[in-house]
Amino acid sequence: MFFRKLSRAISFKPKVSTRAGRSARPCHLKVAVGQLFEGRYTIMGKLGQGSYATVWLARDDAAKTESTKQVAIKILTAECTTGPESLDELGSFLSARSHGTSGDGNERVVKLLGYFHYRGHACLVLELLGESVDDIRGIIGSRRLPAQVVKKLCRDMLLALEYLHSSGVIHTDIHPSNILLARPLSRPTPPKDELEKVLIERASHVAEPMFKLADLGHAVPTETVHHGLIQPTELRAPEVIIGASWDEKVDIWNMGCLAYEFVTGGRLFNPDYQTEERGIEPAETHLVQIIEQIGDFDDDLLRRGIYGEKYFDFAGDLRCSVSLCRTTMEEIMVRVQKKLGVMDLAELTVFCDFLRTMLRIRPEERWPPSLILEHHWLEVD
Ligand SMILES: Nc1ncnc2c1ncn2[C@@H]1O[C@H](COP(=O)(O)OP(=O)(O)OP(=O)(O)O)[C@@H](O)[C@H]1O
């Protein structure tokens, strides 16, 4: 009831700036361990900090269930709460809640348990999740994750996206710090070898959410036409780079890049590579790499981008004078395989096909989450 009333009152606010253009000096609320909020939440420690919020572990003395006795309180910066740079994270949660259906996908997105305002800062009470994929990679000491774990991560994230997209929400900011374990690791944190075993064991419970998608701070509604810069640079979709309008398919490209990164430990695209030596912009380097590894942009997509003419000539060729070295996903993966032995050759072909469902230059051709979820590579071994 509380949420239903709110969802009528709060809808998505239009965004006036993007991830790339937000102010540099955010004003975080000073919080002390032991501090009490709303007469029920006692701060027990800090869980993390992003550019737009600090996240705190808190005890909820009014919790109705054992599982919500400990919560995470995300306190947005003052700029993100009000003013022209405000982020409507709360609106995104409520919109998903009012349009979405409960089920597997809903269970893979961090839950909003409540919210309040404190001294000009919006505070979101969230279910307590575990370590992020970035934290896990820090403990393992490698950017690669075991293949079984990547499959489970992809399944969980695709279910989350199926839910968000069908609820009218585009995430726009999927990266390893926003993908969190549904259950924290045991204390003390298991050492590297043991941790891999723990993760593989958790991944074998197919029906249970192992990872959840967090941080709806940059989410936007599907019903509006969007332009402008979004996404972490190296995960940015082709249509975003050329300044075309974009939709929920940006999340799918994003997931394709991450699936490659988690299996191989390397980034698929590196927009900063030799940018200075070649005297070109990072966006041009990125376009060169996309064309070399994925394929050409067609005229229709180029016409839609406000930077189409800046980067491409009338024949649809890149203006920058870099000789292209085209390759295929299979060739890239064979090279990775020779170096790291990530999977056998038969699986490698299936994995490349899986990546191609997401890494298509034309957003319209990227598969929807429900179809990708049926791909052979995701089948349990
Ligand atoms: N529900 C949660 N449970 C446990 N830890 C959390 C939770 N939500 C966030 N965190 C931790 O806090 C960190 C920052 O949170 P979050 O990414 O939501 O903040 P942000 O300011 O919006 O980040 P960004 O700079 O990526 O936009 C996360 O990386 C994670 O470590």
Side-chain angles (χ1 to χ4, degrees):
M1 186 62 185
F2 166 73
F3 287 114
R4 237 181 288 136
K5 257 197 229 149
L6 261 172
S7 63
R8 256 182 264 126
I10 302 173
S11 58
F12 281 107
K13 275 187 239 150
K15 300 232 157 152
V16 292
S17 67
T18 65
R19 179 189 172 86
R22 214 164 281 283
S23 69
R25 279 190 297 128
C27 173
H28 289 286
L29 180 73
K30 286 203 178 83
V31 174
V33 171
Q35 192 170 344
L36 185 69
F37 287 93
E38 297 288 285
R40 63 186 278 188
Y41 304 113
T42 308
I43 298 296
M44 296 165 72
K46 195 169 185 179
L47 288 167
Q49 176 160 340
S51 316
Y52 312 113
T54 48
V55 183
W56 300 86
L57 172 66
R59 191 185 65 236
D60 179 4
D61 290 327
K64 292 204 176 75
T65 61
E66 199 59 36
S67 64
T68 55
K69 268 207 169 122
Q70 287 200 321
V71 293
I73 301 190
K74 179 169 179 174
I75 306 183
L76 303 192
T77 59
E79 301 80 13
C80 289
T81 302
T82 52
E85 295 203 337
S86 68
L87 294 172
D88 198 8
E89 185 159 4
L90 181 61
S92 301
F93 270 115
L94 298 176
S95 178
R97 185 187 294 254
S98 61
H99 295 103
T101 47
S102 57
D104 290 346
N106 177 25
E107 288 300 316
R108 268 102 179 148
V109 176
V110 61
K111 271 196 185 61
L112 176 74
L113 303 172
Y115 92 102
F116 58 92
H117 276 80
Y118 183 83
R119 296 191 178 163
H121 295 261
C123 306
L124 310 181
V125 183
L126 304 168
E127 69 171 318
L128 179 64
L129 299 178
E131 291 75 0
S132 72
V133 172
D134 243 2
D135 298 332
I136 293 170
R137 295 199 299 191
I139 303 168
I140 295 180
S142 156
R143 296 182 64 78
R144 274 167 62 194
L145 296 173
Q148 302 96 307
V149 176
V150 182
K151 287 183 191 193
K152 178 66 177 134
L153 187 154
C154 287
R155 276 197 299 270
D156 283 345
M157 290 305 102
L158 288 163
L159 283 167
L161 289 182
E162 185 181 31
Y163 164 74
L164 285 179
H165 293 174
S166 65
S167 312
V169 177
I170 314 172
H171 189 284
T172 83
D173 194 28
I174 309 167
H175 58 82
S177 303
N178 285 340
I179 302 173
L180 272 55
L181 279 174
R183 252 184 319 119
L185 293 168
S186 58
R187 295 274 175 260
T189 309
K192 174 185 156 39
D193 292 352
E194 222 173 280
L195 176 56
E196 286 195 348
K197 280 193 209 128
V198 169
L199 294 174
I200 291 169
E201 200 281 321
R202 283 197 189 184
S204 67
H205 299 271
V206 185
E208 272 175 38
M210 176 176 174
F211 294 98
K212 295 203 183 195
L213 186 54
D215 193 2
L216 296 193
H218 298 272
V220 292
T222 50
E223 66 202 21
T224 317
V225 177
H226 302 283
H227 292 91
L229 274 190
I230 47 159
Q231 303 181 301
T233 318
E234 70 282 357
L235 306 175
R236 199 163 274 158
E239 62 275 26
V240 179
I241 304 171
I242 64 162
S245 63
W246 47 261
D247 60 16
E248 70 277 9
K249 292 299 176 73
V250 292
D251 287 340
I252 305 294
W253 177 273
N254 202 150
M255 268 315 294
C257 297
L258 286 180
Y260 173 89
E261 180 175 329
F262 293 147
V263 164
T264 66
R267 293 208 164 131
L268 186 54
F269 305 113
N270 176 4
D272 292 325
Y273 179 71
Q274 291 191 340
T275 296
E276 258 177 50
E277 293 90 319
R278 290 166 162 180
I280 59 176
E281 292 177 24
E284 289 175 300
T285 304
H286 203 166
L287 291 171
V288 167
Q289 293 169 0
I290 290 176
I291 294 169
E292 286 178 336
Q293 299 179 27
I294 310 292
D296 287 306
F297 283 64
D298 66 24
D299 290 348
D300 172 55
L301 181 57
L302 287 181
R303 266 197 300 273
R304 287 191 253 156
I306 54 171
Y307 305 123
E309 280 185 34
K310 177 180 174 191
Y311 296 129
F312 293 86
D313 64 19
F314 287 112
D317 295 319
L318 277 169
R319 289 189 189 278
C320 63
S321 53
V322 170
S323 47
L324 293 173
C325 182
R326 290 177 192 270
T327 182
T328 62
M329 194 54 76
E330 277 77 3
E331 285 165 348
I332 298 170
M333 282 306 297
V334 167
R335 280 200 294 273
V336 174
Q337 168 64 19
K338 278 191 186 143
K339 221 164 111 191
L340 303 170
V342 288
M343 55 182 70
D344 64 40
L345 285 177
E347 182 173 3
L348 191 147
T349 312
V350 183
F351 178 62
C352 290
D353 191 66
F354 172 70
L355 291 181
R356 270 193 295 268
T357 63
M358 298 176 271
L359 295 171
R360 295 183 178 221
I361 294 187
R362 278 180 71 78
E364 299 82 350
E365 290 174 7
R366 284 170 222 152
W367 291 20
S370 55
L371 263 188
I372 308 170
L373 276 162
E374 287 174 18
H375 195 277
H376 187 36
W377 188 70
L378 290 179
E379 280 169 18
V380 184
D381 299 324

